[in-house]
Structures are given as structure tokens and as C-alpha cells.
Amino acid sequence: AISVLEVPSVQRALSWTYENLRLSVIPFCLTFLFYVSTLFRLKRCLRNQHVSAEKIAQIDHLVDTWINLFFGIGVIWTAVGMRGALLEGLGDLNSQTAAELGAFSILQRLVDGGILLALSTTIFGAVGGYLLRLVKSLTVGTQVKAFYNRIAEQQAESVNATLQSIDARLSQLVSGAIEPTPD
């Protein structure tokens, strides 16, 4: 175990993180680590001219998948937190016991049951997901766009060359098939 009791600001940050995100911090952190690793791999592959277009497209897709998963963890943990809060706050109540407890007590049970956790993970997942998109755009966005533009240009040039070849062949066929008519 690593002791951070000697560094109060780190201890406060860890306490705040656990209080607001609980165990959702594990899938958030794992997803973030996979994202960073895949983003660096994409950056390396874009610098290498010999990497196939399919591989770059797959790695680019994988970076987007990690971003979407980050959003998804926030959504899933929201549902889990809301379910837990509702079960804790209202699960064993009927109308009579609810009336006896009062609104404030029920609200306290919902908060203790995880409703704040649900809201925190929603916010963290959304903000984090948008920040991951921004980081991707800032770090490799221009290179990815240029890469896909080069592929599109190569395909356009190939189609143009094929059309010119067909046009030349048709010209040969037409000129050979049509003989000048005598006057």
C-alpha cells in the first residue's frame, strides 16, 4: 500500500475522488490508460509511411471506442447509482412508512444510497469524454485528416487514370471501326 498521509493535498484529492466516484474510478482509469496507449500508437503509426491504411483506420476507430466507453461508463454508473439510491431510499417503504419518515428523511436515504454518486459519474463521464475528444483532435486530428485526404486523393487519381485508359481505348476502337466515307 502506498501511504499518502504525508501529503495532505493528495490525500484530500483521493478522498474526494472516492467520495464522488467510488468504484467507478477503476473502469474510468482503465479506459483512460487504454485511450492514452492507443492514442500514442496512432500517433506513431501516422508518422510511419509504411503502415497500412487499414491498420491506421482500425487504431483510429479504437481511440474513438475508448472515448465512447468513457462516456458509457458514466451512463452505466449513473444507472447503477440511481438503482442503488432508489432501493436504499424507497425499497422498504410503503405509503404509511413514507409518510411517517417525511420527505427530508427519504431524501437523506436517497443521498446515502448513491444518488450523488450517480450524478457525479454522469458529470465525470461526460466532461472526461469531451476532453478525450478534444485531446485527440489537438494531438492527431490534423494528421488523421491529412491521412484520409491522401487516401481520397489516391483513390481519385486511380479512378481518373482508369477513366482515361477507358477513354483512350474507346477512342482507338471508334477510330478503327469508323472508316472515312468517300465523297
Side-chain angles (χ1 to χ4, degrees), residues 81-135:
M82 293 299 283
R83 181 182 183 280
L86 290 171
L87 286 174
E88 179 74 25
L90 305 173
D92 60 349
L93 297 180
N94 58 35
S95 59
Q96 182 181 2
T97 56
E100 289 171 7
L101 279 175
F104 184 78
S105 294
I106 293 173
L107 181 59
Q108 185 64 46
R109 289 173 63 156
L110 289 170
V111 168
D112 293 343
I115 203 163
L116 293 179
L117 169 68
L119 296 173
S120 297
T121 56
T122 303
I123 294 166
F124 190 78
V127 170
Y130 286 119
L131 286 175
L132 295 181
R133 282 185 184 169
L134 179 64
V135 167

Side-chain angles (χ1 to χ4, degrees), residues 135-178:
V135 167
K136 179 188 175 193
S137 292
L138 293 174
T139 57
V140 295
T142 304
Q143 295 94 332
V144 169
K145 184 80 169 164
F147 174 78
Y148 287 126
N149 284 343
R150 277 195 309 273
I151 289 176
E153 287 172 8
Q154 290 171 352
Q155 290 174 341
E157 289 172 6
S158 175
V159 168
N160 194 25
T162 301
L163 288 174
Q164 287 177 352
S165 173
I166 291 170
D167 185 46
R169 183 67 179 143
L170 285 173
S171 294
Q172 288 176 347
L173 290 173
V174 168
S175 67
I178 302 175

Side-chain angles (χ1 to χ4, degrees), residues 52 60 67:
S52 71
D60 183 33
I67 293 170

